[in-house]
Amino acid sequence: MRLFFKGAMLAASLSFLPARPASAYDMDCAIMLCMAGGFPPGAVCTAAYAEMIRRITPWPSQPPFGICSFAAMPVAAGGPGGAMDLDISGPEYDWLRRSRVLWFDGQSHETREEPRQWNWNIRSCDHENSTCHDLARVHGSHAPWPASFQSENDQTLDYPGGGISFFRRAVMVEYGDYKGTMGHSQWIHY
């Protein structure tokens, strides 16, 4: 009984100390976890989506997500202790490595001697936003860019809209969830 009262007194005295915030996953972990679920509605995933878009929006552009650092299992529980980085090289993270950053650049011009011509380019970069290549590069077309194109992940994606414009640049993220279902962000004009 005496021990119960001592415990109650200790708990009561600790309750007057200022509360410390609980540590949470870092933003990269939140982006990956929310992406795995297809960015479900909620405060955490809304913030993670906004951060992913902020990172890819120029300049300087960053990868949509980085290294997820998380608290490792404590040594007492048989783990390594401390903090470690999430290794996404295994086959269970194929869905994450399929993420692509897509860049669009399009212009239209007209000279006195020739009819209006259209130029456009779609670049696709890996999930680290480092290894890039052209999906489409068209110069001197007498027709505007088409309504949609095929991505490397076999999605039919619309070209960026926004009304009649003779110059347009935009960026988007194409991502998959843990089941392999592909999704994408909206085009972000810059």
Side-chain angles (χ1 to χ4, degrees):
M1 189 73 148
R2 190 187 252 170
L3 187 58
F4 173 76
F5 285 118
K6 283 183 181 179
M9 296 287 282
L10 179 62
S13 65
L14 289 176
S15 68
F16 293 108
L17 293 175
R20 291 188 342 203
S23 58
Y25 286 108
D26 63 12
M27 186 53 77
D28 291 310
C29 295
I31 292 170
M32 289 179 192
L33 289 170
C34 291
M35 189 182 291
F39 287 101
V44 172
C45 289
T46 299
Y49 182 85
E51 176 64 15
M52 179 181 74
I53 296 303
R54 185 202 63 75
R55 289 179 181 186
I56 65 162
T57 306
W59 287 107
S61 180
Q62 302 169 337
F65 55 87
I67 296 172
C68 173
S69 300
F70 60 95
M73 186 184 305
V75 175
M84 59 189 312
D85 297 335
L86 180 64
D87 179 13
I88 65 167
S89 63
E92 64 275 14
Y93 291 103
D94 284 346
W95 62 271
L96 190 59
R97 291 191 308 274
R98 288 179 59 196
S99 298
R100 309 293 298 171
V101 178
L102 301 171
W103 300 87
F104 174 80
D105 182 18
Q107 305 97 31
S108 173
H109 62 279
E110 189 173 23
T111 63
R112 288 184 218 176
E113 297 84 30
E114 297 195 30
R116 180 162 297 284
Q117 292 187 9
W118 302 81
N119 306 320
W120 66 90
N121 182 38
I122 294 274
R123 287 186 64 71
S124 176
C125 301
D126 65 4
H127 68 280
E128 294 174 339
N129 205 10
S130 60
T131 305
C132 304
H133 63 277
D134 290 336
L135 289 181
R137 181 179 284 283
V138 176
H139 290 285
S141 173
H142 292 290
W145 47 81
S148 62
F149 67 97
Q150 196 74 17
S151 76
E152 291 170 283
N153 290 313
D154 294 325
Q155 285 196 96
T156 300
L157 300 173
D158 292 337
Y159 276 90
I164 296 174
S165 175
F166 299 114
F167 179 75
R168 184 167 294 140
R169 294 187 313 179
V171 62
M172 80 168 5
V173 177
E174 181 184 33
Y175 57 86
D177 65 13
Y178 75 99
K179 296 177 190 172
T181 305
M182 295 305 297
H184 59 85
S185 70
Q186 298 297 317
W187 284 105
I188 309 301
H189 297 274
Y190 64 98

